[in-house]
Amino acid sequence: MLAITQLCKAYGDTPVFAGVDLRVAPGEFVAIVGESGVGKSTLLNCIAGLDSVSAGSVRIDGLEVTTLAEPDAALLRRRRLGFVFQAFHVLPHLSVFHNVALPLLLLKRPDAARVREVLAAVGLDALADRLPRQLSGGQLQRVAIARALVHRPALILADEPTGNLDPGTAERVMDLFATQVRHEGAACVLATHSRAAAARADRTLALSADGIGPA
Ligand code: ADP
Ligand code: MG
């Protein structure tokens, strides 16, 4: 599903990480831990083709992401990826319902029942008609999670997805990711510094400046 080989990333002369090797199979749940600033978000962005790499390879379904040009990169993300952004990136003028429905609309597969189902799964069914500015941080985070999962992506990339949630809600959200992995065969890469969240993964890896390895 995902194969990363000798991936290196620097911003100008400042290296972030080098020599990152990682393979994730369908049905596998991997947590990436590491202190703040180590490059977890950068790594997820590089996997999704949202940031350039300095060297190395990222393949999704055998397709080299690092050299994929738009609009092919956007199409790959739309069809195959579910990305939970650390900063949510919900659309401010769309309701909760329409934010979550958007990935299905872009795929020309509108499905209101599915939207309701994921909203219920993250506990937002009562807030479907609200605008993002009428939500708390934890509620916005759950909109971002529902939007990332609504189209049943083959690869889920989640950046600190429980950072704004209380322990009970975080647990339910982690159940949702686990269901997607165990029952739908998705691959999931989760960046987190929550021990409870990392404990739900099959493997926990620590990212550092010179690579990635068992935590
Ligand atoms: P993490 O998610 O592990 O906290 P990040 O991936 O956000 O870490 O950041 C890794 C490092 O790269 C940090 O030192 C950060 O300051 C730096 N960085 C992130 N984005 C940029 C950017 N666009 N330009 C320059 N430096 C950046
Ligand atoms: Mg981060």
Side-chain angles (χ1 to χ4, degrees):
M1 175 76 246
L2 173 65
I4 301 175
T5 313
Q6 287 299 302
L7 194 69
C8 304
K9 173 69 182 176
Y11 287 110
D13 292 337
T14 311
V16 182
F17 51 72
V20 170
D21 286 306
L22 174 64
R23 284 172 173 273
V24 186
E28 202 180 9
F29 195 161
V30 173
I32 296 178
V33 298
E35 60 195 53
S36 178
V38 81
K40 301 181 297 298
S41 297
T42 303
L43 177 59
L44 292 184
N45 286 332
C46 289
I47 294 172
L50 294 169
D51 200 349
S52 63
V53 309
S54 305
S57 158
V58 176
R59 285 173 181 268
I60 294 176
D61 294 334
L63 215 62
E64 181 61 47
V65 173
T66 58
T67 53
L68 205 59
E70 303 297 344
D72 294 342
L75 281 174
L76 174 74
R77 280 193 292 274
R78 194 179 290 175
R79 292 189 182 127
R80 306 293 285 162
L81 299 198
F83 202 121
V84 184
F85 293 98
Q86 190 166 12
F88 316 141
H89 296 316
V90 300
L91 298 180
H93 302 296
L94 293 185
S95 69
V96 167
F97 181 93
H98 287 112
N99 263 285
V100 175
L102 195 57
L104 294 172
L105 281 189
L106 292 172
L107 291 168
K108 301 188 169 59
R109 274 169 30 203
D111 186 345
R114 172 65 182 164
V115 175
R116 296 273 171 205
E117 181 182 299
V118 286
L119 283 177
V122 296
L124 290 179
D125 29 349
L127 304 183
D129 296 327
R130 290 228 193 145
L131 288 171
R133 67 167 179 271
Q134 301 169 316
L135 300 180
S136 72
Q139 289 164 343
L140 282 173
Q141 184 147 49
R142 285 181 280 152
V143 176
I145 291 162
R147 181 185 55 187
L149 298 181
V150 72
H151 57 305
R152 298 187 169 90
L155 176 60
I156 300 163
L157 303 173
D159 196 357
E160 309 273 9
T162 59
N164 295 273
L165 305 180
D166 61 83
T169 308
E171 185 73 22
R172 272 203 289 150
V173 160
M174 293 307 299
D175 288 342
L176 207 55
F177 288 124
T179 302
Q180 213 69 24
V181 171
R182 311 283 172 236
H183 297 177
E184 315 250 359
C188 182
V189 180
L190 170 85
T192 187
H193 49 235
S194 154
R195 281 169 191 278
R200 301 292 298 269
D202 301 313
R203 282 193 284 154
T204 300
L205 301 171
L207 181 63
S208 67
D210 52 3
I212 194 167

